[in-house]
Amino acid sequence: MSFKQLISELKEEGKGLMSMEQYINVGYVAELLAPCNFLIFGLGEDAKVWQEINKNGRTVFLEDDQEWLQKFDPDKYEIHPVSYHTKVQDHLSVGFDPEKLKMELPESVTNTSWDLIFVDGPLGHQPPRPYAGPGRMQSIYTAHTLLKPGGICIVDDLGRQIESKYSSHFFGTGNLLNIVENKVGILKKS
């Protein structure tokens, strides 16, 4: 089944938080690189799509929400529970300090050369919505440190201030390859 068919089925079932155009763009990049080492911050209804597109590669999910962790069979998905120690509203005091952004991850994650990383978590609501969640400062920093040179990082919600600020800082504005509907950014690590 093509990645477009997988995405169409997902959307027809009323699942997935991105638009069809955003999914198509992410799916296209994933299919171009597959099979590859694909790391995803966040576990959601679209997990099956990413795993299927990369079926002969390694697809790993990092998730901090216990409810989402309970929804997936660990025999079918490689999932690692993670914790974040930041709060989105503290992004100014966190800054770009590696000590404040460092995450504890299993060696099987840190010792892998990642071709593609999708930052789709954790929760990081910010104005005009009320602040909520850890924010994506740590996941964007970690994606940059784990991604191999020339690798691709996709950041959901790049149109938000914090995701934009941290992606620009770590990846550089010149490495933004595309932004879909002012929401999903596709960046390359130089």
Side-chain angles (χ1 to χ4, degrees):
M1 184 179 299
S2 77
F3 79 88
K4 288 182 181 179
Q5 289 171 305
L6 290 166
I7 292 166
S8 290
E9 284 183 7
L10 177 79
K11 294 307 284 179
E12 285 168 11
E13 292 170 6
K15 297 179 178 177
L17 298 176
M18 294 190 298
S19 73
M20 188 68 170
E21 184 69 18
Q22 292 160 12
Y23 273 114
I24 293 292
N25 276 269
V26 175
Y28 176 75
V29 171
E31 186 179 69
L32 274 177
L33 297 174
C36 67
N37 289 322
F38 186 7
L39 179 65
I40 302 164
F41 288 84
L43 187 58
E45 295 171 326
D46 49 18
K48 182 180 177 184
V49 171
W50 309 134
Q51 186 154 291
E52 184 62 28
I53 291 172
N54 194 40
K55 67 181 165 190
N56 294 316
R58 180 178 176 212
T59 306
V60 176
F61 299 89
L62 303 177
E63 180 57 58
D64 68 314
D65 186 296
Q66 288 301 313
E67 281 185 46
W68 278 109
L69 289 167
Q70 300 302 316
K71 292 180 183 184
F72 289 84
D73 182 347
D75 294 329
K76 294 182 180 177
Y77 296 90
E78 185 178 347
I79 303 167
H80 298 281
V82 295
S83 12
Y84 298 93
H85 54 266
T86 56
K87 292 183 180 173
V88 69
Q89 62 266 31
D90 297 334
H91 67 98
L92 292 174
S93 62
V94 169
F96 305 117
D97 182 348
E99 288 305 312
K100 293 180 181 177
L101 295 170
K102 190 160 72 170
M103 292 182 68
E104 293 294 323
L105 296 172
E107 281 186 28
S108 66
V109 172
T110 59
N111 291 341
T112 299
S113 178
W114 297 101
D115 304 291
L116 177 61
I117 299 180
F118 187 11
V119 176
D120 197 16
L123 181 68
H125 296 318
Q126 53 203 270
R129 295 173 82 172
Y131 282 120
R136 296 189 180 161
M137 298 88 72
Q138 285 184 276
S139 50
I140 292 169
Y141 166 77
T142 304
H144 183 262
T145 62
L146 295 177
L147 191 64
K148 74 177 191 179
I152 300 295
C153 182
I154 299 168
V155 178
D156 191 18
D157 297 309
L158 191 69
R160 296 192 305 205
Q161 177 190 6
I162 294 168
E163 283 81 349
S164 177
K165 173 181 161 181
Y166 279 79
S167 296
S168 294
H169 178 82
F170 290 110
F171 288 94
T173 54
N175 289 318
L176 178 62
L177 302 176
N178 190 15
I179 184 161
V180 183
E181 299 175 339
N182 198 37
K183 185 173 183 290
V184 177
I186 301 170
L187 304 117
K188 185 173 186 175
K189 182 176 178 179
S190 25

